[in-house]
Amino acid sequence: MNNIFNIVPGKSIIGDIQVSGDKSISHRAIILSSIAEDISTISNLSLGLDVLNTIEAMRALGVEIHLKNTTCEIHGVGLHGLKPSKKPINCGNSGTAMRLLTGLLSAQKFNSILIGDDSLQRRPMLRVAEPLRLMGAKINLSSRNTAPIEIIGGRTLKGIQYDLKIPSAQVKSAILLAGLYTIGATQVHENVLTRDHTEKMLQKNVDIKKIPGDISSATFFIVLASITKGSDLIIRKVGVNPFRTGIIDILKLMGANIELFNHDFFGLEPVADIRIRYAPLHGITIPQELIANAIDEFPAIFIAAVCASDNTVLRGARELRVKESDRIAAMAKGFAQLNVKTEEYDDGIMIFADQKFQGGCVNSFGDHRIAMAFAIAGHVAKGPVFVDNCALVKTSFPNFVELANQVGMQINT
Ligand code: S3P
């Protein structure tokens, strides 16, 4: 995939598609199968670079893993069977891989070093080091409390009761993974509930044979069909865990026509087919209680807001500034390039109603979700949109362009 997307505006979005496996669940399935007993076979795994990095990390820790298309066979080594990695473990762009592995590796007998790309090495890691240190882990961060993360092994960890300061499924999961090794029980308390994939997978006799479609990837198509006149799109077998469906709740509040049907379960994870038809949208004030459940979906939600009547206001979402990019700043800059008026706050943004994207060039700042958000903006823009710096779309959604062009977009790379 080239670095630049060139999007030619187009007409209605029609199709019946499936998006690849959920990234969050894929990371957890790989890590937990690696420390399980026996062999696990998991199908419909995400093939995003982030997940491939987690596979490489577990291989470096001595786990035999075979990947064929989207099916992965993992030869679990048991709770105490991991081996030291010969070199620093590179988590690439993935905050989930880095934070979950910090939890797991804090409890091992050996030392580890975790590194990442420039974006990941700018992201805050104290949030994960702090509770793990309370458990007795020895973790060294950079002077800015970022990666590289050096973990000194051979510590005996004790269980803690921990109140999460920031709603974060990654921090919660890191503590729970370390908690598998502690003397005494570990409890994590959340004021705001976050995705519970780790908890679900840690339950006894859970069947994690098949990974649901990634709702965070589906989001770009849900928004695309919602804002493009005449659209009628079905996305099959999408994970609809209630802690992930904030995107559907928010778009429905804006007037979107979204229908869930064929409800089913893959293990403990609910899945459904989703039908999206074009409907005129209106802006809203995003309810605070929906923010955590839509945390990765805001770049796409902002695009929907531009096409809506009435202003849209998001506050209380400072976390968006410490994702793969500063997503509030990155979106505001891109909007300005396309002549869309917004007002930026330290913890959110206001998007003014009834606007049209002009053609133009935007930078994704190397953030996969910013790149895909502006790609769908290009479809409803008045002229061609160029999105620069799109190589990392493959961290979460390697076949985005192919699927987008299949349902009626025209993205040239
Ligand atoms: C994730 C949790 C969220 C989310 C990220 C994936 C996970 O991060 O933004 O893309 O898999 O646990 P936080 O835990 O930082 O909120």
Side-chain angles (χ1 to χ4, degrees):
M1 190 186 296
N2 271 343
N3 232 2
I4 298 179
F5 288 174
N6 167 6
I7 304 104
V8 180
K11 298 215 167 64
S12 52
I13 296 298
I14 309 283
D16 189 331
I17 57 171
Q18 212 164 325
V19 293
S20 51
D22 186 86
K23 184 155 76 80
S24 279
I25 301 177
S26 295
H27 283 299
R28 288 157 170 82
I30 294 160
I31 293 173
L32 287 176
S33 302
S34 293
I35 54 168
E37 306 285 339
D38 303 327
I39 297 176
S40 303
T41 305
I42 304 156
S43 66
N44 201 36
L45 198 80
S46 160
L47 292 184
L49 279 187
D50 278 6
V51 170
L52 298 182
N53 278 327
T54 294
I55 292 178
E56 279 314 311
M58 298 320 298
R59 281 179 176 152
L61 292 162
V63 183
E64 187 183 332
I65 302 181
H66 304 282
L67 182 63
K68 198 169 173 214
N69 301 319
T70 64
T71 299
C72 191
E73 186 185 89
I74 300 175
H75 294 238
V77 295
L79 264 185
H80 300 284
L82 295 177
K83 302 262 165 25
S85 171
K86 292 193 178 71
K87 45 184 197 201
I89 294 170
N90 191 345
C91 300
N93 193 243
S94 177
T96 306
M98 183 167 272
R99 294 191 178 120
L100 266 57
L101 288 175
T102 301
L104 178 71
L105 294 175
S106 290
Q108 305 303 316
K109 292 201 169 63
F110 50 84
N111 300 349
S112 305
I113 294 175
L114 296 172
I115 56 170
D117 68 9
D118 291 347
S119 151
L120 183 54
Q121 297 214 160
R122 279 196 297 270
R123 297 181 65 187
M125 292 297 149
L126 187 60
R127 54 181 64 192
V128 77
E130 192 179 83
L132 295 168
R133 285 171 180 160
L134 289 175
M135 296 170 91
K138 178 124 181 57
I139 298 171
N140 298 321
L141 304 176
S142 79
S143 56
R144 289 174 297 123
N145 284 321
T146 56
I149 301 180
E150 186 192 10
I151 300 163
I152 311 298
R155 317 272 298 180
T156 305
L157 302 192
K158 57 176 191 298
I160 52 166
Q161 298 233 350
Y162 192 74
D163 291 314
L164 278 189
K165 296 191 177 122
I166 315 157
S168 168
Q170 293 175 353
V171 175
K172 171 175 64 175
S173 301
I175 300 169
L176 293 177
L177 287 172
L180 295 174
Y181 296 85
T182 54
I183 299 173
T186 295
Q187 279 185 3
V188 183
H189 300 276
E190 300 182 285
N191 287 328
V192 177
L193 301 181
T194 62
R195 62 189 76 185
D196 61 354
H197 307 308
T198 306
E199 300 89 297
K200 281 202 151 77
M201 227 177 264
L202 282 172
Q203 289 180 37
K204 252 191 189 157
N205 302 324
V206 174
D207 171 5
I208 48 163
K209 287 201 186 79
K210 188 167 181 191
I211 310 278
D214 195 328
I215 191 165
S216 296
S217 298
T219 285
F220 298 99
F221 291 100
I222 296 174
V223 170
L224 176 68
S226 293
I227 60 175
T228 310
K229 287 201 174 115
S231 297
D232 189 350
L233 179 71
I234 293 177
I235 313 176
R236 304 277 179 192
K237 305 273 179 231
V238 180
V240 289
N241 181 308
F243 297 111
R244 299 288 298 282
T245 46
I247 174 65
I248 294 173
D249 301 331
I250 290 170
L251 286 176
K252 279 189 169 170
L253 288 175
M254 296 173 76
N257 182 346
I258 301 173
E259 202 186 316
L260 269 59
F261 61 106
N262 286 339
H263 289 272
D264 197 358
F265 277 91
F266 288 179
L268 294 179
E269 293 287 352
V271 295
D273 295 347
I274 303 179
R275 182 176 185 189
I276 312 103
R277 279 170 282 183
Y278 167 78
L281 301 183
H282 53 86
I284 57 168
T285 296
I286 309 280
Q288 290 296 302
E289 66 274 17
L290 292 180
I291 292 177
N293 297 349
I295 194 68
D296 292 332
E297 281 53 90
F298 284 102
I301 291 168
F302 296 166
I303 299 297
V306 173
C307 308
S309 59
D310 305 322
N311 298 346
T312 294
V313 182
L314 172 69
R315 300 303 299 260
R318 208 178 306 251
E319 271 298 294
L320 294 182
R321 293 203 182 270
V322 290
K323 293 295 178 187
E324 286 83 328
S325 69
D326 175 340
R327 287 185 171 158
I328 295 173
M331 290 302 293
K333 287 200 176 101
F335 282 142
Q337 293 295 111
L338 303 182
N339 226 2
V340 164
K341 211 174 131 211
T342 62
E343 194 174 311
E344 198 179 324
Y345 310 117
D346 60 340
D347 64 344
I349 195 166
M350 163 136 78
I351 295 163
F352 294 94
D354 284 326
Q355 300 194 72
K356 276 262 176 232
F357 296 103
Q358 306 295 317
C361 299
V362 299
N363 191 341
S364 77
F365 296 93
D367 182 327
H368 54 134
R369 299 202 199 281
I370 303 289
M372 291 185 277
F374 280 114
I376 59 174
H379 188 71
V380 294
K382 281 187 167 166
V385 168
F386 295 84
V387 187
D388 197 4
N389 216 347
C390 292
L392 282 185
V393 164
K394 54 182 183 296
T395 60
S396 65
F397 203 165
N399 65 339
F400 169 72
V401 170
E402 189 188 320
L403 268 185
N405 288 344
Q406 187 184 316
V407 297
M409 281 187 76
Q410 199 183 320
I411 308 181
N412 300 306
T413 57

